[in-house]
Amino acid sequence: MEKKNENNPMANMRFSDEIPSAFGGGGGGSIFDMAGASCEGSGGDKWGSLGFMDLLGIHQDFVAPSLFDSFQPSILPPSSPPLPVFHHHDDDILHELHTDSKQQHLNHQAGLLSPASTVPESSEVLNNPTTPNSSSISSSSNELAANDEQTKAGDDEDKTKKPLKPKKKNPKRQREPRFAFMTKSDIDHLDDGYRWRKYGQKAVKNSPYPRSYYRCTTAGCGVKKRVERSSDDPTIVVTTYEGQHTHPCPIMPRGAIGIAPDSSAFGAPSFIIPQPMYLNHQQQQQQQLQPYIYNSTPSLNITTASSNIIHPSFPGFLQEKPRFSNPNPSALSQRDHGLLQDIVPTPMRTEAKQEDQ
DNA sequence: CGGTTTTGACCCGCGC
DNA sequence: GCGCGGGTCAAAACCG
């Protein structure tokens, strides 16, 4: 049983989709500062009462958009009013976002994004959180159901060994959209406010560090996440979320109004904010390692500006009221487009696209 | 005592 | 078909 220390788990985060060749820096990707926390407190008490919010010094009145929201150029409010300055005490945060091409499809479904031909980056930047109502969530629950059925149905095969439940033999098991981010931290299991139960651990090939599998403990919620440490850089923890929470964050920060728990799809932090200005030396070094560096303006407007984005994957956001008027969509689009470009390396985006095909 | 973690076995998809 | 690696199961151990 591993007892994690109580250090800030959110130190240095990078986001990526499915951990590109994240390890080793081959994959590359933009790095930007972030602040993320879906809930305070933590389902796990491993870090005491510290949640992302506290750890990062985020206050409840700071309503940050989800990471994904930040990458919705086509619907970002143009010129957002000054936003509350985000101070995070942890100056060792960075993250990288990668995308999943599926998002494109999803975005199209939602009709939120411009055609890929127009703003290809937009759809790819998003980490393809599928709509909860759509296949993604249902697929997981279906999976479970399928499993149960199979279990009930039983398998005629006589298992010489222990009577394990026959596993489903779905023709093509559909994977939930995944969303991975890298975190520079001593702690493996980051506190995102949701409650997780570890259900497995496997040794990772070519890595001395094992990979842990967690599942959201909330009944009916099939969200899973994998946590593994980079073999190249043991200080980097890669967390991969799969699926979307079908419930609000079990642990709400005191008066965490405006922070939609559901917005943290995949159980990922809700407010992942590019804040390159806060990169510390270490991060800067990492940036150097990365071929693509997030270099947009430090203005937080960028991030919060997207708070009124409605992403199909975030029911919570659907309920959120736009916080800023959107007088000049074109301006916004432009700005955010630039942001996207900064955040997501083109090669990565193209890769994602190709992979999707 | 209930929930979580550990851990070995099993299942499954994929490449050869 | 086989082997490999990733992912999952589930009993036992552990913990508060």
Side-chain angles (χ1 to χ4, degrees):
Chain A
M1 193 127 357
E2 47 185 338
K3 283 293 179 182
K4 313 294 181 185
N5 64 40
E6 300 185 350
N7 293 337
N8 182 348
M10 291 303 294
N12 290 339
M13 299 189 70
R14 298 175 61 217
F15 287 80
S16 65
D17 170 74
E18 270 303 352
I19 314 163
S21 3
F23 302 139
S30 62
I31 300 177
F32 40 86
D33 217 351
M34 70 84 63
S38 52
C39 301
E40 174 192 45
S42 86
D45 30 283
K46 290 187 174 70
W47 304 320
S49 60
L50 287 181
F52 279 151
M53 295 290 275
D54 285 341
L55 290 168
L56 298 175
I58 299 175
H59 300 296
Q60 62 182 52
D61 56 346
F62 175 77
V63 181
S66 89
L67 163 65
F68 313 107
D69 288 354
S70 301
F71 304 114
Q72 298 252 17
S74 58
I75 46 183
L76 281 175
S79 54
S80 307
L83 295 169
V85 177
F86 174 86
H87 301 285
H88 66 73
H89 304 151
D90 187 311
D91 59 351
D92 198 25
I93 295 175
L94 64 90
H95 61 177
E96 153 189 327
L97 171 69
H98 190 172
T99 71
D100 190 78
S101 49
K102 292 178 197 168
Q103 182 59 45
Q104 195 168 349
H105 170 66
L106 292 169
N107 288 333
H108 277 293
Q109 281 187 322
L112 292 176
L113 295 175
S114 313
S117 58
T118 311
V119 189
E121 298 86 356
S122 62
S123 60
E124 295 177 23
V125 171
L126 296 169
N127 266 287
N128 66 331
T130 55
T131 69
N133 320 332
S134 66
S135 55
S136 78
I137 282 299
S138 57
S139 69
S140 69
S141 42
N142 286 344
E143 266 186 33
L144 293 175
N147 272 330
D148 288 346
E149 279 193 32
Q150 283 205 355
T151 299
K152 292 174 185 173
D155 199 21
D156 291 341
E157 301 180 36
D158 61 333
K159 308 290 182 180
T160 54
K161 308 210 171 180
K162 62 179 178 182
L164 285 178
K165 291 184 180 180
K167 295 196 177 181
K168 64 150 177 251
K169 292 182 179 178
N170 284 349
K172 267 288 183 179
R173 181 164 92 173
Q174 283 214 336
R175 275 230 170 276
E176 300 272 339
R178 296 192 201 174
F179 164 75
F181 62 86
M182 302 171 74
T183 308
K184 202 169 185 68
S185 169
D186 293 335
I187 300 173
D188 291 339
H189 192 186
L190 299 177
D191 175 15
D192 51 24
Y194 289 89
R195 294 178 61 88
W196 302 92
R197 180 160 79 155
K198 188 175 184 176
Y199 66 89
Q201 178 171 307
K202 288 278 289 187
V204 180
K205 188 184 177 184
N206 297 328
S207 173
Y209 308 97
R211 172 183 299 148
S212 297
Y213 298 89
Y214 297 87
R215 196 172 354 237
C216 182
T217 59
T218 301
C221 182
V223 177
K224 296 176 226 173
K225 79 172 177 182
R226 299 187 315 216
V227 177
E228 61 187 286
R229 208 166 268 283
S230 170
S231 58
D232 291 337
D233 186 351
T235 64
I236 293 180
V237 176
V238 178
T239 304
T240 304
Y241 290 92
E242 183 175 336
Q244 295 178 319
H245 291 286
T246 59
H247 57 93
C249 182
I251 300 174
M252 294 295 293
R254 57 227 187 275
I257 304 170
I259 297 173
D262 286 347
S263 66
S264 60
F266 311 111
S270 309
F271 9 38
I272 295 160
I273 305 169
Q275 288 184 298
M277 293 304 284
Y278 294 118
L279 291 176
N280 61 18
H281 179 64
Q282 200 171 15
Q283 293 168 331
Q284 288 170 9
Q285 282 186 321
Q286 280 211 1
Q287 280 196 345
Q288 290 178 348
L289 295 176
Q290 302 293 333
Y292 309 103
I293 302 174
Y294 171 71
N295 60 356
S296 70
T297 71
S299 168
L300 289 178
N301 292 2
I302 295 171
T303 59
T304 32
S306 59
S307 57
N308 62 353
I309 291 172
I310 297 175
H311 194 285
S313 310
F314 308 114
F317 270 87
L318 292 173
Q319 300 162 7
E320 278 192 286
K321 291 182 282 186
R323 291 170 183 74
F324 308 105
S325 59
N326 191 345
N328 189 351
S330 60
L332 165 68
S333 187
Q334 269 193 327
R335 182 181 61 183
D336 212 64
H337 182 67
L339 171 63
L340 288 170
Q341 288 179 321
D342 288 338
I343 292 175
V344 179
T346 304
M348 187 180 291
R349 294 195 297 262
T350 49
E351 276 181 25
K353 230 177 185 175
Q354 291 173 344
E355 284 177 14
D356 200 26
Q357 298 169 356

